[in-house]
């Protein structure tokens, strides 16, 4: 088959998913093209994949007068690829692709993958609903990364909407020795005891991740006996290291990061709270996860977070918000709390911080659940059968 993937700007799950699809489809002998921003190619290396052709299309974040030029550019690209299947990922890439296909006489089959829900308010929400409806009705097949996205597409009039997970890459197995080394390195770098309970969050510092919820939970944890700072002093008069430390690994929207830092600093000035460190973008997530004791995800909404899948496969004790596809992904392999419920988050983390046996139990459940998840090749094979059905 001749398959073209279209996507917008991405530094996370969507780009990771499309890269895996392009790689596996090309390895299976299909002709594969990828259309997207040059920066996305730089991040994921589509043009370096064997058997994959990449073409740049600079998709902006919103509707604009330049969309007509994007349609013309994509039309020329699709003709050069001679695509049988065009598979767009996300609202922006989906919209430009649908507009482009409407200008073609010989139209390839159009598949749309939804990875996020529309989140606008007021007038923006109305516009987003109109775009969602147009896409749902214009695609030959809509794929949702979580079942709520599938249901939404059907409500908006999709003729064929199905669930297809975005699988996480294979998790690197980290030895106990390497995990201990990572813990020691983190303790030295951020000045906490190697015996501290490490709470790890992985994900971009952005509005969707709702780190203010985590900060408010830290304020509550500072009030918990046995969690947070210990009041005891050593022989030099210095206070002991904190019993719990929170690490956030991921790139940041600078404005959001500044707001979260200010919120945390205000709390810390008023009372003793567990320390919080922003690690920035990292390439050692597997080592960080191995060193951590508790994994938290506070997102307002997630379809099927790759980092949550990775935490399951790594056997971490998980506390996550029960939003989008997270509840069906985690099931009983972690503790689920309501969206933005910082009290419930604090209670769950406090429970796990003082109970290693409970952490071990949840970690074992997580690993068992992670072993059941489909891998990238299985998702690609399922997609081939869907493409074949369309053709």
């Amino acid at each position: 088959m001749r398959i073209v993937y279209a996507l917008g700007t991405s530094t996370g799950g969507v780009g990771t998913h499309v890269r895996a699809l392009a790689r596996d489809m090309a390895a299976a002998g299909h002709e594969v093209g990828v259309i997207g921003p040059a920066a996305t190619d730089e991040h994921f290396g589509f043009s370096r994949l064997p058997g994959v052709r990449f073409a740049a299309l600079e998709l902006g974040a919103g509707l604009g007068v330049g969309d007509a030029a994007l349609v013309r550019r994509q039309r020329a690209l699709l003709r050069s690829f001679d695509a049988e299947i065009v598979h767009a990922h996300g609202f922006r890439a989906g919209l430009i692709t649908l507009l482009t296909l409407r200008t073609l006489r010989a139209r390839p089959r159009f598949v749309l993958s939804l990875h996020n829900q529309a989140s606008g308010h007021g007038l923006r929400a109305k516009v987003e609903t109109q775009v969602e409806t147009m896409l749902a009705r214009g695609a030959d097949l809509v794929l949702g990364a979580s079942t709520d996205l599938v249901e939404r597409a059907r409500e908006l009039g999709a003729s064929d909407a199905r669930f297809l997970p975005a699988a996480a890459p294979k998790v690197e197995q980290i030895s106990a020795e390497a995990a201990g080394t990572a813990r020691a390195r983190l303790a030295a770098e951020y000045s906490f005891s190697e015996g501290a309970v490490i709470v790890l969050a992985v994900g971009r510092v952005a509005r969707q991740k709702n780190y203010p919820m985590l900060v408010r939970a830290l304020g509550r944890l500072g009030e918990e006996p046995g969690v947070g700072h210990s009041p005891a002093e050593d022989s030099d008069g210095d206070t002991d290291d904190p019993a719990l430390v929170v690490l956030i690994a991921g790139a940041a929207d600078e404005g959001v990061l500044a707001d979260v830092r200010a919120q945390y600093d205000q709390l810390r000035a008023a009372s003793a709270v567990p320390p919080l460190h922003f690690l920035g973008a990292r390439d050692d997530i597997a080592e960080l996860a191995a060193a951590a004791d508790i994994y938290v995800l506070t997102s307002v909404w997630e379809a099927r977070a790759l980092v949550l899948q990775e935490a399951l496969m790594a056997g971490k004790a998980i506390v996550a918000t029960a939003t989008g596809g997270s509840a069906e992904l985690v099931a009983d392999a972690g503790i689920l709390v309501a969206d933005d419920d910082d009290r419930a988050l604090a209670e769950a983390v406090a429970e796990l911080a003082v109970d290693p046996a409970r952490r071990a139990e949840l970690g074992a459940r997580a690993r068992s659940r992670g072993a059941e998840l489909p891998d990238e090749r299985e998702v690609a094979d399922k997609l081939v059968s869907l493409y074949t059905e369309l053709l």
Side-chain angles (χ1 to χ4, degrees):
M1 283 181 281
R2 297 184 300 278
I3 307 160
V4 170
Y5 294 103
L7 76 164
T9 301
S10 175
T11 58
V14 175
T16 300
H17 176 56
V18 175
R19 186 185 189 279
L21 292 179
R23 178 199 65 208
D24 291 345
M25 293 295 178
H30 302 288
E31 296 181 36
V32 178
V34 178
I35 295 173
T40 304
D41 180 43
E42 290 175 10
H43 189 87
F44 292 101
F46 295 111
S47 57
R48 297 190 296 273
L49 292 174
V52 175
R53 294 169 56 197
F54 178 83
L57 185 69
E58 300 303 327
L59 294 168
L63 301 174
V65 294
D67 284 0
L70 291 176
V71 168
R72 289 194 296 271
R73 164 73 173 160
Q74 191 179 46
R75 181 174 61 208
L77 291 174
L78 291 182
R79 284 173 172 166
S80 70
F81 282 119
D82 191 24
E84 295 176 284
I85 296 280
V86 180
H87 188 163
H89 292 258
F91 293 112
R92 180 60 175 155
L95 176 60
I96 295 300
T97 298
L98 178 60
L99 295 176
T100 300
L101 294 179
R102 288 180 172 179
T103 69
L104 296 176
R105 290 184 179 177
R107 174 186 152 172
R109 293 293 188 177
F110 176 34
V111 179
L112 172 69
S113 275
L114 298 177
H115 298 272
N116 283 289
Q117 66 173 1
S119 57
H121 301 281
L123 178 60
R124 178 171 178 171
K126 293 181 180 179
V127 173
E128 287 178 344
T129 298
Q130 290 176 342
V131 172
E132 281 185 286
T133 302
M134 184 168 64
L135 289 172
R137 297 177 180 178
D140 297 299
L141 172 62
V142 178
L143 300 174
S146 56
T147 55
D148 58 325
L149 291 176
V150 176
E151 292 167 1
R152 172 69 171 170
R154 289 171 179 163
E155 289 172 0
L156 294 176
S159 60
D160 192 356
R162 311 187 199 185
F163 169 66
L164 185 77
K170 185 177 180 180
V171 169
E172 180 184 356
Q173 296 301 312
I174 304 298
S175 68
E177 181 182 0
T181 300
R183 174 180 280 269
R185 185 178 68 250
L186 289 167
E189 183 175 356
Y190 295 102
S191 302
F192 62 84
S193 168
E194 289 186 35
V197 173
I198 299 177
V199 178
L200 175 67
V202 178
R204 188 176 186 86
V205 183
R207 300 292 179 197
Q208 179 188 343
K209 303 304 179 182
N210 196 15
Y211 289 123
M213 173 189 177
L214 178 56
V215 173
R216 295 196 307 272
L218 292 185
R220 296 184 183 277
L221 284 169
E223 302 167 359
E224 292 286 336
V227 179
H229 288 270
S230 168
E233 294 186 351
D234 61 23
S235 58
D236 296 324
D238 295 325
T239 58
D240 285 349
D241 289 322
L244 184 147
V245 61
V246 179
L247 308 177
I248 297 177
D253 297 344
E254 291 304 321
V256 177
L257 177 59
D259 289 345
V260 177
R261 283 188 185 277
Q263 178 192 5
Y264 175 72
D265 289 342
Q266 185 176 12
L267 260 181
R268 187 174 56 176
S271 62
V273 295
L276 169 65
H277 300 285
F278 296 91
L279 278 56
R282 305 282 294 217
D283 58 6
D284 60 345
I285 297 300
E287 288 81 2
L288 293 178
D293 300 289
I294 303 169
Y295 181 89
V296 298
L297 184 72
T298 54
S299 298
V300 174
W301 187 90
E302 293 281 356
R304 194 175 177 89
L306 297 188
V307 292
L308 201 51
Q309 296 182 61
E310 291 167 350
L312 288 167
M313 289 185 282
K316 295 288 100 179
I318 294 169
V319 183
T321 45
T323 60
S326 295
E328 62 191 8
L329 177 60
V330 174
D332 65 350
I335 299 176
L336 296 167
V337 300
D339 171 35
D340 208 37
D341 189 343
D342 54 273
R343 180 181 295 277
L345 175 63
E347 290 174 352
V349 171
E351 172 197 343
L352 296 177
V354 299
D355 192 346
R358 175 67 168 150
R359 295 201 301 269
E361 175 197 352
L362 286 179
R365 286 191 194 176
R367 193 178 299 278
S368 177
R369 174 67 177 146
E372 298 172 352
L373 300 178
D375 61 23
E376 292 175 322
R377 180 59 60 85
E378 289 172 317
V379 171
D381 289 344
K382 174 62 176 176
L383 196 51
V384 167
S385 69
L386 293 174
Y387 290 162
T388 303
E389 183 181 332
L390 275 181
L391 293 174

